[in-house]
Amino acid sequence: MSGSLVAAGVLSVACAFAPTWEAFLALRAGGGLALAVLPAVALAYLRDAVRDDAHGRANALYISGTALGGAVGRLAPLPSRPSAAGSS
């Protein structure tokens, strides 16, 4: 799992230095593939770490937690945005 995150981070930083649009797209695709490994490995780890009768619940908790975290991460900054109604 950590290898996936390191690879995605390195590829994301490399995007800032991409000399062409094609290189940028290739680096972003590589980063996406690297990040795609993370949930698969995490669910495989859960399979080994959790009792068989709790496996489905653990998978559901992991998946719903990542979805909720993604939503909160996008919505939490909204109250700190300046209001468009007060601008002229």
Side-chain angles (χ1 to χ4, degrees), residues 59-77:
N59 278 354
L61 186 62
Y62 172 77
I63 291 168
S64 63
T66 56
L68 181 64
V72 168
R74 287 169 177 81
L75 297 175

Side-chain angles (χ1 to χ4, degrees), residues 18-33:
T20 64
W21 177 249
E22 291 80 12
F24 175 77
L25 287 179
L27 289 167
R28 287 293 292 158
L33 289 173

